[in-house]
Amino acid sequence: MAVQKVIRKKSKAKIDPVARMKVIWLVGHGLTLGLGAIYALFYLSQCLTFYRYRSWKTLFLIARRPHFKSKTWGHLLWRLLPQITYRMSLIGVLASHSVTSYQNWCSLNPSWYDLLSKENFQSILIATLMLFSRASLFKLVPFMLTSFLHLTVKDQKDATTEEISEEKTKEPKHKDKTASLLHIIAYSELLVMVSLLFDIITLRDNLGGFVLALYMSIYWLRLNFSPYAQETLLILVLKVDKKVPPKFQPQWRGVKQFLYLRMDESRKHQ
């Protein structure tokens, strides 16, 4: 009898979903840091050489700045590179933070309150807002510092993505490098608000008022649920406490009481 050979196809190797999400998480933070650094170089070089292309009339908004036409595709791509690096850096933020949110909530059914009360989801909202606004280094700095914090905690403590996200909600210790970096992130988030206000005053962004209103709405969530943002703002409030006029002292005490109350609530939920 003839022997029949049975040919079976080899089953494709299954990709571990956790490993795939880990790769996306690392690539996202890598894009944020790497492309953010490239955009920072473009931004700083433009700040140092702006006098070559703008006169005092354009500086004080008396005349429009000259428009240079790109002669070649390479020159056009070079001019678009800062915008590309800025947008791709924010896409990296969305990728890494989306993985963290998925890992935190994949087995649960969170409400909108649960999502909006988490710093990670707030960062996704801010990154989405900044993705469709005018490019600025101030808008990228908080995300770059956050990515640096996540990656360094990952390397030093071999923690999971969820543990890295929880690291930011712990009570800060002033002698800890992580706490210092969290305060720097909080200061940079306040600088974003200042830069948006400056864009409105100088008419640099047509949607500046809309972006500022949405950003302040999201930052209000930060003040309600983020311990490091509450403590950093309280430090600033206490520094100017003695300089507040007496007639504004009742309102000023209300601000301090609000921050103390939110800090107590944050400690109870830890």
Side-chain angles (χ1 to χ4, degrees), residues 174-189:
H174 296 287
K175 295 183 180 180
D176 190 8
K177 293 182 180 180
T178 302
S180 301
L181 189 56
L182 286 173
H183 284 298
I184 296 175
I185 293 173
Y187 286 123
S188 64
E189 290 174 346

Side-chain angles (χ1 to χ4, degrees), residues 58-194:
T58 58
L59 183 62
F60 291 97
L61 305 178
I62 299 176
R64 294 182 179 181
R65 63 177 182 176
H67 180 70
F68 299 97
K69 294 183 178 180
S70 302
K71 298 180 180 180
T72 61
W73 285 103
H75 187 244
L76 177 61
L77 182 61
W78 178 257
R79 292 191 61 188
L80 292 177
L81 191 58
Q83 292 292 331
I84 295 174
T85 54
Y86 173 81
R87 312 294 171 186
M88 290 300 297
S89 180
L90 290 174
I91 290 176
V93 175
L94 295 176
S96 58
H97 285 70
S98 297
V99 169
T100 304
S101 292
Y102 177 78
Q103 289 187 342
N104 290 337
W105 301 107
C106 62
S107 58
L108 302 173
N109 186 20
S111 63
W112 279 107
Y113 178 84
D114 296 327
L115 292 174
L116 292 174
S117 62
K118 297 301 180 182
E119 299 170 26
N120 190 78
F121 189 76
Q122 296 166 13
S123 298
I124 293 176
L125 295 178
I126 295 175
T128 304
L129 178 63
M130 299 309 174
L131 184 63
F132 298 100
S133 64
R134 192 184 72 86
S136 174
L137 180 60
F138 294 100
K139 300 175 183 179
L140 281 183
V141 169
F143 297 118
M144 294 173 63
L145 293 175
T146 303
S147 294
F148 176 78
L149 176 63
H150 279 59
L151 292 176
T152 51
V153 170
K154 180 73 176 178
D155 293 336
Q156 294 173 2
K157 299 183 179 180
D158 196 23
T160 61
T161 307
E162 185 175 357
E163 291 171 348
I164 294 172
S165 179
E166 292 175 354
E167 180 69 19
K168 295 173 63 178
T169 61
K170 295 180 180 178
E171 183 177 359
K173 299 178 181 179
H174 296 287
K175 295 183 180 180
D176 190 8
K177 293 182 180 180
T178 302
S180 301
L181 189 56
L182 286 173
H183 284 298
I184 296 175
I185 293 173
Y187 286 123
S188 64
E189 290 174 346
L190 291 173
L191 284 177
V192 172
M193 197 178 303
V194 176

Side-chain angles (χ1 to χ4, degrees), residues 233-234 237 249-260:
L233 185 60
L234 182 61
V237 169
Q249 283 295 335
Q251 293 83 357
W252 198 251
R253 284 195 295 269
V255 173
K256 292 188 291 184
Q257 290 176 359
F258 167 76
L259 292 175
Y260 282 125

Side-chain angles (χ1 to χ4, degrees), residues 171-228:
E171 183 177 359
K173 299 178 181 179
H174 296 287
K175 295 183 180 180
D176 190 8
K177 293 182 180 180
T178 302
S180 301
L181 189 56
L182 286 173
H183 284 298
I184 296 175
I185 293 173
Y187 286 123
S188 64
E189 290 174 346
L190 291 173
L191 284 177
V192 172
M193 197 178 303
V194 176
S195 67
L196 291 174
L197 183 61
F198 181 77
D199 288 343
I200 296 174
I201 296 174
T202 56
L203 304 177
R204 302 177 69 182
D205 190 359
N206 296 330
L207 300 176
F210 178 73
V211 174
L212 178 61
L214 288 180
Y215 182 79
M216 291 182 66
S217 301
I218 302 172
Y219 192 78
W220 175 252
L221 297 175
R222 276 275 203 268
L223 292 181
N224 279 273
F225 301 106
S226 176
Y228 75 90

